[in-house]
Structure formats: structure tokens, C-alpha cells
Amino acid sequence: MSTTIWKISRWKEGVFTACDDEVVEELPLTVFANGREIVTLLTLGENLAELAVGFLRSEGFLSAREDILELKEETGAVRLKLKGDIALVESLMERRTLTTGCGKGTTFYHPLDALRVKPLDTGAVFSPEDILARMGEIQTRSEVFQRTGGTHNASLASPEKTILFRADIGRHNAVDMLGGRALLDGLGVESLALFTTGRVSSEILLKTAKMGVAVLVSRSAPTALALRLAEQLGMTVIGYVRGGRFNVYTGSQRVKECNL
């Protein structure tokens, strides 16, 4: 992952000290589909192909590995050749430069998204101990986060272990990387949960649903819109997983011992 050293003044215990600090870089990745420029994402610069695939999957350009006829990674770009005509999907998505998902530059959610996702009925069931353990793993697996504090972390995990882990400057990117990798590898996700350090917004919830994952767990808080969508889609949302506690907002049937 791309980082750089920055000279700073650090205030600690009443004294300023000159020192070096490691900060993450933001690198542009332009995604092309069937010769058309679709989007430019800002990223740490790793796992570019799976990020592109995951993003295009989330936006409706593809739904299966067989939809990808050709995949080519270049410096600062990923080019894909997809089955069929993508003009209709592209017309529904305004071309834009995406920020890390926290500002006005990102508009992932569209009301039609919720209509295109089927309600989920999976066999994923996690105990409270599973939830705390898997969240603890994504907090410790990102060395860049440990050094810089500048990444969001996400994972796909079974009750017993973390299956896939990704980190990036944006929580959307980290989630899309998981979705892209799962699609490329043909990974079955029905019994897995998606863990994230970022806020559970409506777009993160829909990205998770489009993967076919019914359990979404975050160290942070959900929005009310995300929870309404979760109820419509039959998803489990768990938030504020920290300090040995968590909140179950929807889908309590997938959490052992939660009978409320």
C-alpha cells in the first residue's frame, strides 16, 4: 500500500516535538468497460482489478464471473470487456470522480437499487463470541491502519474465521474489493458475514446485499435508511461492536441467544 512520510509537530504532555509521521496516499484508478470510461476511484493502489470488478458489480454492470470476457490491469487503470450492451446501465449512472465515500462526490444510492435486490434468506448464524472475535481480527490485521490510522478495514468471515480481508482509504472501496474477489474466485458467501470499520450507510448495505451476504457487522453506527432497507431485504445489521459489546438492529434471528 502506498504511504509517505510527513514531517509534523506532535503535541504530547504539554510539549511540541518535531517528528515524522506516516500518511496514506490517494491514487486514482480509472475503470473502463467496453471501451468507455466509467468512473475514477481514489484508492491506496492495491487490489485494483478486484476493486474495479466489485464496483461494476455493485453498480449493475455485471452479476457473474461469466459476464467478464476480458480483464486487463494497467498503471492507474483497469479495462474490462463485458457481455452485452452496457449503455442502459451507464445511462443510469452519471459519470463522476468518486471521493472516499464521505463527501458530496459520491452518490451510490439510487431508489432503483433497492428494487433490484432480492430479499435474502441465508443460513448465516453467528454467536456473540463469533462477532466480537471476527471484529477484533480486522482491527489487528491492517498494518497500514496500525501505522497511520488512515484506512477502513473490511472482511468476509465465517463464524470460525476471517476468509477475506481488505483495507483501503474508503470503506466503499474495501467492500467492493471483497465483492470483486468473491466473484472472481466463485466464493460462496451465503453463510458469511461482512465486517467493516465504517459507518453502515444505505449504499454499504446495498453493496453487501448485492453480494448475497445477509449479515453486516460494523464497529460504527448505521443510518436509519440503511436499517429500513435491511428490514425490507431481510438482512441482519449489527453495529457499535467495540469494548466487548454490540447492538443488534435488525435480523436478530441470525444472532445466537438474541431473542428480543
Side-chain angles (χ1 to χ4, degrees):
M1 294 183 181
S2 183
T3 63
T4 191
I5 301 299
W6 200 267
K7 294 188 179 299
I8 66 169
S9 296
R10 176 169 291 148
W11 172 263
K12 183 178 180 180
E13 298 178 353
V15 178
F16 275 113
T17 304
C19 58
D20 292 338
D21 192 35
E22 188 176 7
V23 297
V24 296
E25 293 276 12
E26 290 183 275
L27 303 174
L29 169 67
T30 303
V31 179
F32 297 86
N34 294 357
R36 301 180 185 179
E37 179 182 339
I38 303 301
V39 71
T40 296
L41 302 161
L42 297 176
T43 176
L44 277 176
E46 288 195 346
N47 307 304
L48 300 183
E50 64 188 40
L51 172 56
V53 170
F55 175 83
L56 292 176
R57 181 189 196 181
S58 293
E59 294 296 319
F61 285 85
L62 59 93
S63 60
R65 179 65 178 87
E66 292 72 27
D67 294 332
I68 304 172
L69 303 178
E70 186 176 309
L71 175 61
K72 183 179 180 181
E73 184 176 331
E74 304 172 354
T75 301
V78 173
R79 299 178 185 273
L80 297 95
K81 184 177 180 181
L82 304 177
K83 280 184 180 179
D85 186 2
I86 65 171
L88 177 60
V89 178
E90 187 181 15
S91 69
L92 296 174
M93 174 186 159
E94 178 185 356
R95 184 177 300 171
R96 58 200 186 267
T97 297
L98 298 182
T99 67
T100 56
C102 301
K104 296 180 179 178
T106 305
T107 314
F108 284 90
Y109 174 68
H110 188 283
L112 289 176
D113 281 337
L115 300 178
R116 289 197 290 257
V117 182
K118 296 179 181 179
L120 300 176
D121 184 14
T122 72
V125 178
F126 285 71
S127 71
E129 293 76 17
D130 298 333
I131 292 164
L132 295 174
R134 302 294 81 80
M135 180 59 72
E137 288 174 358
I138 71 168
Q139 290 296 97
T140 58
R141 286 188 64 166
S142 176
E143 294 181 3
V144 174
F145 178 80
Q146 298 294 331
R147 299 197 310 265
T148 69
T151 66
H152 277 292
N153 307 323
S155 70
L156 285 172
S158 69
E160 297 79 20
K161 64 180 180 178
T162 296
I163 308 298
L164 286 176
F165 170 84
R166 293 294 181 265
D168 200 87
I169 54 175
R171 67 191 192 280
H172 299 88
N173 288 355
V175 170
D176 276 336
M177 286 174 182
L178 294 174
R181 187 75 267 155
L183 184 142
L184 290 170
D185 291 348
L187 175 66
V189 299
E190 294 77 12
S191 62
L192 305 182
L194 191 146
F195 287 76
T196 175
T197 56
R199 184 177 70 255
V200 177
S201 58
S202 58
E203 63 266 29
I204 292 294
L205 183 118
L206 288 169
K207 284 178 184 291
T208 304
K210 289 175 183 178
M211 289 184 213
V213 176
V215 180
L216 177 55
V217 186
S218 175
R219 190 174 186 274
S220 190
T223 67
L225 177 57
L227 296 179
R228 294 187 190 104
L229 289 171
E231 288 186 332
Q232 292 176 26
L233 297 172
M235 293 180 65
T236 298
V237 174
I238 300 166
Y240 278 116
V241 186
R242 58 181 74 181
R245 64 179 178 84
F246 57 82
N247 300 334
V248 179
Y249 293 89
T250 64
S252 61
Q253 73 275 11
R254 295 191 184 93
V255 181
K256 293 180 181 178
E257 303 172 26
C258 185
N259 300 316
L260 298 179

